[in-house]
Amino acid sequence: MYRVNIFCLLSILLSLVTTSHGELFTAISDVEPLLETHKKIIDDLEDYIKKEEDRLQALKRHLVIYRREHEQAMEDIPNYLGNPINAFTLIKRLTIDLDDIEKSIEIGTEYIKNITIINNHANVKYPTLEDLTGAAQALTRLQQTYKLDVKDLSEGRLNGVVYSTPMSAGDCYELGKALYNEKDYDNALDWMMEALYKFVDEDQPYPFSEADILEYISFSHYLLGDLKSAIEWTKNLLLIEPKHSRAAGNLPHYQKALQDKELQAKKRRKGDTGEPDIEYEAQVKESRSTSYNAERQSYEALCRGEKELPPEITKTLTCRYMTENHPFLRLAPVRMEYLYRNPDIIVFNDVLSDYEIDYIKRIAQPRFRRATVHDPATGELVPAHYRISKSAWLKDEESAVVARVSRRVADITGLSMTTAEELQVVNYGIGGHYDPHFDFARKEENAFEKFNGNRIATVLFYMSDVAQGGATVFTELGLSVFPRRGSAVFWLNLHPSGEGDLATRHAACPVLRGSKWVCNKWIHQGGQELIRPCNLEYQKESIIRPIPQPIEKFFR
């Protein structure tokens, strides 16, 4: 619009120059119309200057926010980016907000684009709308898992503590919009309501209107089956914008749908619909999902640290210095602790040094790719919405440090690394998680044909502490293991018979605040024939052989 005004001004001036041919001054009557032209230029210039001032004021507001947030981030980068609210708003600033900035720049556009927006510098990255959607879904995942209030999240509070700048109406609107586009209407509605409250309070110019928010709210109610609320919110929308064409068309549609719904309800009460029993079908569907819901509730409670092991389990748990399995351990014993018995879940403390952690992270990061899972139908590795992280694989032969870690795994587990998988390094993203799963492949799955046998054991190293969240939880056991930098958790995935141990079902909880780094070693059956022979029994004995000493060294 601004550029068109400039062109209009130039056209008028050019017309004055090219059509007068020096004849305007010869008659006053010919000069008088120039006053109208003069007034038009004044009006156009005033309008243009006003728009430029508004545009520059908007750009200044963006600049203040960008500079403030950047300064806060640079004070403590890991802590800043480890906050999911900060991570979401950063992505939003570099996608939606940047688009608005680009559209608002009319004068000097080519210069600005050349130095910031289009020119792809080696160290400059821009997130995509897919990143924005992923961050929005992560916030709702955290909200559900940790029972967080939308109002608290929008104000930058996590579990009652303020960690970030409050979200704006624009932040809440774009978050709700992203969730709406993913058909998550429940959460979209919550965030659109928060956007509405903030929009009214802030009184700031946005590229969307109050009517836009109300339309999302009313249609979300409709899609959730709440027709009465959909009608009420549509009426509110028409009060502030009576000529809103979509709302005017939706209102009679909603009213008709409500009448039909009430009529069907009456018929069902009389039992004369002639249609399938909807309530019975709902009961069948609910019974099918009971198992999933029970596991989900257990998983979320474990993530929050709300469950404790019963006394009959805790009284069997011990800790000691481990000196068996390899002669080196007599010189440098490892502190080990039983977290659960039968199946045995063991944590080894201080088995990765700071140097090893930093080295592994440094060489893995350039290779990071979206983490994948085995497709049970094809055996191929594919991305999945229930595993949000990036990973890389490191071979023993490419690094002495990686080879040393593999040798350490062999020492502390007493198992052969002959057919073990490469070291997998994983960094979890915003709200990063991995839903409940088994590490072993079940009979119907075609996952490990290229390996020599199933995954007999897992060693999971923690390479970072996590400020909040990020626990490894065993849903069947009721056990939560919270990350501790330098430690490793170990368990057997298979019974001695070779059957998968269903009690080892586990999950990685969403990271609420901080950054979670892990690396793991999956050990296969091949090469263990003489070390841990198969039999027809289920696990009954400890997976760590008793030390050949009369007295164990307890350090608790």
Side-chain angles (χ1 to χ4, degrees), residues 204-339:
Q204 294 286 343
Y206 281 109
F208 57 88
S209 66
E210 183 178 356
D212 293 327
I213 302 175
L214 292 175
E215 186 175 11
Y216 273 109
I217 291 172
S218 60
F219 205 65
S220 293
H221 277 299
Y222 168 70
L223 292 170
L224 290 169
D226 187 354
L227 295 170
K228 290 183 179 179
S229 294
I231 291 169
E232 290 304 313
W233 282 102
T234 305
K235 288 179 179 178
N236 291 338
L237 168 54
L238 289 171
L239 284 176
I240 64 170
E241 197 170 315
K243 295 183 179 180
H244 196 287
S245 59
R246 287 190 299 274
N250 285 341
L251 186 57
H253 175 70
Y254 295 163
Q255 292 169 334
K256 176 67 166 55
L258 180 60
Q259 291 173 358
D260 292 344
K261 184 177 180 180
E262 291 174 345
L263 182 61
Q264 287 296 321
K266 289 179 181 179
K267 287 183 177 181
R268 276 199 299 273
R269 285 195 292 271
K270 292 179 179 180
D272 60 355
T273 62
E275 297 177 356
D277 190 334
I278 298 176
E279 291 184 4
Y280 171 75
E281 290 183 351
Q283 289 173 2
V284 172
K285 185 177 180 181
E286 183 178 353
S287 65
R288 289 173 181 169
S289 62
T290 298
S291 177
Y292 170 80
N293 290 336
E295 181 180 60
R296 193 75 200 174
Q297 290 175 7
S298 174
Y299 160 69
E300 292 177 356
L302 287 167
C303 289
R304 295 191 294 268
E306 293 176 354
K307 284 192 168 187
E308 293 184 358
L309 293 175
E312 57 267 26
I313 297 295
T314 57
K315 70 181 182 181
T316 67
L317 305 180
T318 58
C319 48
R320 62 181 173 86
Y321 284 100
M322 181 186 190
T323 58
E324 66 272 26
N325 289 344
H326 194 279
F328 178 74
L329 294 179
R330 291 184 176 272
L331 299 175
V334 173
R335 289 190 302 147
M336 60 167 286
E337 180 181 356
Y338 286 99
L339 303 180

Side-chain angles (χ1 to χ4, degrees), residues 345-357:
I345 311 295
I346 298 172
V347 63
F348 298 108
N349 294 288
D350 301 319
V351 286
L352 274 186
S353 69
D354 289 340
Y355 169 77
E356 289 168 333
I357 289 172

Side-chain angles (χ1 to χ4, degrees), residues 65 68-69 83-90 92-93 97 132 135-136 139-140 143 149-158 162-176 179 191-192 194-199 201-202 206:
I65 294 171
R68 180 193 67 212
E69 292 299 316
N83 185 314
I85 299 172
N86 289 338
F88 171 81
T89 53
L90 175 63
K92 187 244 179 187
R93 285 196 298 276
D97 290 356
L132 185 66
L139 280 178
T140 60
Q143 176 190 337
D149 183 68
V150 169
K151 179 70 176 177
D152 285 343
L153 276 175
S154 72
E155 294 301 319
R157 287 193 295 268
L158 297 175
V162 176
Y163 290 105
S164 62
T165 305
M167 298 170 71
S168 67
D171 296 332
C172 296
Y173 176 80
E174 293 301 337
L175 201 163
L179 295 171
W191 284 104
M192 282 298 174
E194 195 61 31
L196 179 63
Y197 299 143
K198 287 179 176 285
F199 185 88
D201 290 341
E202 290 175 9
Y206 281 109

